[in-house]
Structures are given as structure tokens and as C-alpha cells.
Amino acid sequence: MPSPIVVMGVSGSGKSTVGAALAQRLRVPFADADDFHPPANIAKMTAGEPLDDDDRHPWLEAIGQWLAQQCTAGGVMSCSALKRKYRDQLRRHCSETELLHLVGTPEVIGRRQASRPGHFMPASLLISQFETLEPLEPDENGIDIDVDQSIDAIVETYVAARGSRSAGGDGGTPR
């Protein structure tokens, strides 16, 4: 059975673009966590204020409910999921959820963010995103993939690693 996948990482890492391409490749539904934010969260981020855990909790619950609906048929969700406790909250809705962590240096991500005019997450919050980020731990069902390559290469790397893991191999990038 296909498991839902959360494409995670800091703002500007390419979660939505990679997530949409991966969903298309796997022929499963795609959703962007940004679409699940209540208006108050968007207003806060637009004002340059980072969200706190109280802001994130109902947002993560809504995302988790979507993942639960995809638990048997698969789906791809782009979501920052920066802290382990956020990922745990999502997995409570579907324990089989897989994680694809898009990793990159602040310089690479900063360049990507600069090319996204009009996005509600200002580049000034990038530092707080990196400070908040807790990398995947070995017991989490996921892999890290470097964002400094083409979208097709990221998708191919993930699909190959996923196939290797389901065939009994490791398939992941060492953390």
C-alpha cells in the first residue's frame, strides 16, 4: 500500500514544487500545507512574525487529517514540519507517513527565496526557520535529499530510495 509522503524543509527549499512533481510521478493527490493556514497565521507571517506552537497546532491537525484520508491510497503533502514534535503530531494521524527532507545551506535556500516575489514568508524569517529546524532522526521514516539539483533529480532520487527501502534496503541518505 502506498503511504502518504510529507515533503518537508525550511521555506524556500522547494517543498511545493517537489511535492507537486512527486505526486504527479506517483499519480497520487497533492496538497500544500500553506493552503491549510488560517488567515491569522498568514497575517502573522506576512508581518514578519514567526509562528509559535499555539499557532501551529490547529494547522498541523488539519494537515494530519488530510494525511489520514490518504493513509491507504497515498498522497503527497508539502509541509515545513521543522520540529520532531510537529512530525510526530502528523504521524499520529497516519503512522505510515514517510518524510522527504529537502536540505540545503542558508545561501542556497536564500537564493531560492529571493526568486519568489510575493510569497507571504519574507526572507527575513529564513534564519528563524533554520534555528527551529530539527533534522530527521534515525528512527523517523524518511530521507534527506540535497535541494541543489534539478526537481527531476530530487524526485528520481526519492523514488529510487523509496523502492530500495520497500525492497528491504536502506535507501536513505545517511544523517
Side-chain angles (χ1 to χ4, degrees):
M1 255 189 279
S3 301
I5 302 160
V6 172
V7 180
M8 60 167 284
V10 298
S11 179
S13 61
K15 297 180 298 292
S16 298
T17 304
V18 170
L22 182 59
Q24 183 176 10
R25 168 72 188 272
L26 298 175
R27 296 188 173 110
V28 296
F30 170 73
D32 188 322
D34 286 347
D35 296 335
F36 291 72
H37 273 298
N41 284 10
I42 293 173
K44 195 171 183 179
M45 289 184 287
T46 300
E49 298 176 43
L51 300 179
D52 61 29
D53 287 351
D54 290 338
D55 298 320
R56 287 186 183 95
H57 185 79
W59 172 65
L60 290 167
E61 281 300 298
I63 294 164
Q65 290 168 7
W66 187 90
L67 290 170
Q69 294 169 354
Q70 312 310 317
C71 205
T72 58
V76 178
M77 168 69 72
S78 65
C79 177
S80 53
L82 298 177
K83 290 185 180 180
R84 169 70 188 248
K85 69 180 182 177
Y86 304 158
R87 300 186 295 268
D88 288 346
Q89 183 177 348
L90 295 176
R91 283 190 295 261
R92 279 194 286 280
H93 293 272
C94 179
S95 61
E96 293 82 22
T97 299
E98 298 177 15
L99 300 164
L100 164 51
H101 180 197
L102 298 175
V103 296
T105 65
E107 295 75 26
V108 168
I109 303 296
R111 278 197 313 273
R112 294 169 76 104
Q113 267 193 339
S115 70
R116 296 172 28 176
H119 190 267
F120 62 77
M121 174 69 82
S124 60
L125 289 183
L126 181 59
I127 299 304
S128 79
Q129 293 251 309
F130 273 99
E131 289 170 352
T132 302
L133 177 64
E134 295 174 1
L136 290 176
E137 296 180 24
D139 67 324
E140 292 187 88
N141 185 16
I143 65 169
D144 299 323
I145 297 179
D146 187 349
V147 300
D148 203 11
Q149 56 186 319
S150 74
I151 301 304
D152 288 341
I154 293 169
V155 169
E156 288 305 316
T157 299
Y158 181 78
V159 169
R162 189 179 205 213
S164 174
R165 283 197 329 259
S166 66
D170 174 7
T173 301
R175 290 187 262 284

